[in-house]
C-alpha cells in the first residue's frame, strides 16, 4: 500500500492573486485527487454558527473533544464512526493524536502513527479566545461540518483564523479556509491515512 498523504502547499503569492482552480492527483491513490479553488473560485465558508442544530464547542487552549459522527465515514480504506475535534485546527478519527500542541507537523516526513487518519484544516497553536473566536460542529444525517471561526493564535486576542472541515458518508472531504493568521508557529493543511504505508 502506498503512502496516503496529501499536503497542500501554496507557494508564493501568485496563487492568491489570481482566481485559479487546480486539481492535483493524490500520489499512490489512483483516481483520487484534490481540487483547490482560489480567489473568486474559492468557496465561501458555510458558517454554521447560526444554523439550527449547530453546537458550540467550548474548548480551552490545546483541548480536544470527542464528537460521534452518527454515520459511517470511509477514509483511506477504513470506516470511522467517531471523531476528535482539536482547538488546534484539525479533526482526527483516532483518539491517540492528542491536542497537537503546539504547531503543525511536516506531513512529507513524519511516520508518527499519532497523525494517522487526520484532516488538518489550519493546524497550529490556535485558541478560541473568549469573546473573539469560537468552535462549532453541525451534525447532519450523512455529513458533519466542523468550524473554527475567528480563532486566535495562542494566546493573543486578535483572531483572524476562520476555516471549516466538512465530511460525509460518501467519503468526501471539503476544507474551506477564509482566513489564516499565524505569526510564530508552523501550520499544516492536508490529510493523512496510515503513515506507516
Amino acid at each position: 500500500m502506498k503512502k496516503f498523504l496529501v499536503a497542500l502547499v501554496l507557494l508564493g503569492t501568485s496563487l492568491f492573486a489570481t482566481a485559479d482552480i487546480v486539481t492535483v492527483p493524490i500520489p499512490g491513490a489512483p483516481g483520487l485527487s484534490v481540487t483547490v479553488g482560489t480567489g473568486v473560485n474559492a468557496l465561501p465558508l458555510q458558517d454554521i454558527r447560526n444554523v439550527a442544530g449547530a453546537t458550540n464547542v467550548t474548548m480551552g487552549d490545546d483541548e480536544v473533544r470527542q464528537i460521534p459522527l452518527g454515520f459511517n465515514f470511509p477514509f483511506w480504506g477504513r470506516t470511522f464512526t467517531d471523531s476528535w475535534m482539536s482547538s488546534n485546527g484539525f479533526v482526527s478519527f483516532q483518539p491517540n493524536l492528542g491536542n497537537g500542541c503546539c504547531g503543525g507537523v511536516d506531513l512529507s516526513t513524519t511516520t508518527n502513527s499519532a497523525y494517522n487518519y487526520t484532516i488538518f484544516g489550519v493546524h497550529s497553536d490556535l485558541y478560541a479566545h473568549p469573546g473573539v473566536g469560537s468552535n462549532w460542529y453541525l451534525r447532519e444525517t450523512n455529513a458533519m461540518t466542523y468550524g473554527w471561526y475567528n480563532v486566535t493564535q495562542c494566546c493573543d486576542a486578535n483572531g483572524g483564523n476562520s476555516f471549516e472541515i466538512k465530511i460525509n458518508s460518501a467519503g468526501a472531504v471539503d476544507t474551506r479556509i477564509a482566513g489564516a493568521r499565524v505569526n510564530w508557529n508552523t501550520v499544516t493543511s492536508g490529510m493523512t491515512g496510515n503513515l506507516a504505508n
Side-chain angles (χ1 to χ4, degrees):
M1 189 183 268
K2 301 283 184 192
K3 186 176 193 178
F4 290 131
L5 170 67
V6 176
L8 301 177
V9 180
L10 302 176
L11 299 173
T13 58
S14 63
L15 196 55
F16 292 104
T18 62
D20 292 325
I21 296 179
V22 179
T23 299
V24 180
I26 298 174
L32 297 179
S33 62
V34 173
T35 301
V36 179
T38 63
V40 296
N41 289 324
L43 297 173
L45 296 181
Q46 183 180 352
D47 198 347
I48 61 174
R49 291 178 284 186
N50 296 313
V51 174
T55 301
N56 186 322
V57 183
T58 303
M59 287 190 271
D61 184 30
D62 301 329
E63 287 196 36
V64 176
R65 291 287 185 270
Q66 182 176 3
I67 302 172
L69 297 175
F71 59 89
N72 291 330
F73 174 55
F75 190 59
W76 298 116
R78 292 194 45 198
T79 301
F80 298 94
T81 58
D82 274 307
S83 65
W84 285 262
M85 180 182 188
S86 172
S87 63
N88 287 323
F90 62 84
V91 175
S92 182
F93 299 97
Q94 59 177 11
N96 64 331
L97 179 51
N99 61 33
C101 183
C102 284
V105 61
D106 186 346
L107 296 181
S108 67
T109 59
T110 189
T111 57
N112 184 342
S113 64
Y115 295 103
N116 288 352
Y117 306 104
T118 301
I119 303 169
F120 301 91
V122 176
H123 174 215
S124 193
D125 193 11
L126 302 179
Y127 176 59
H129 194 279
V132 177
S134 58
N135 302 300
W136 292 78
Y137 72 86
L138 174 63
R139 181 184 297 112
E140 299 171 274
T141 303
N142 292 307
M144 177 76 80
T145 302
Y146 308 85
W148 294 258
Y149 302 102
N150 204 33
V151 296
T152 67
Q153 181 178 8
C154 190
C155 285
D156 68 26
N158 292 322
N161 296 287
S162 293
F163 56 97
E164 296 169 339
I165 296 171
K166 183 174 185 175
I167 62 171
N168 69 29
S169 60
V173 176
D174 180 3
T175 302
R176 300 178 185 200
I177 302 172
R181 189 190 65 76
V182 177
N183 295 319
W184 53 80
N185 295 93
T186 56
V187 176
T188 299
S189 288
M191 64 183 95
T192 60
N194 184 343
L195 291 166
N197 296 328

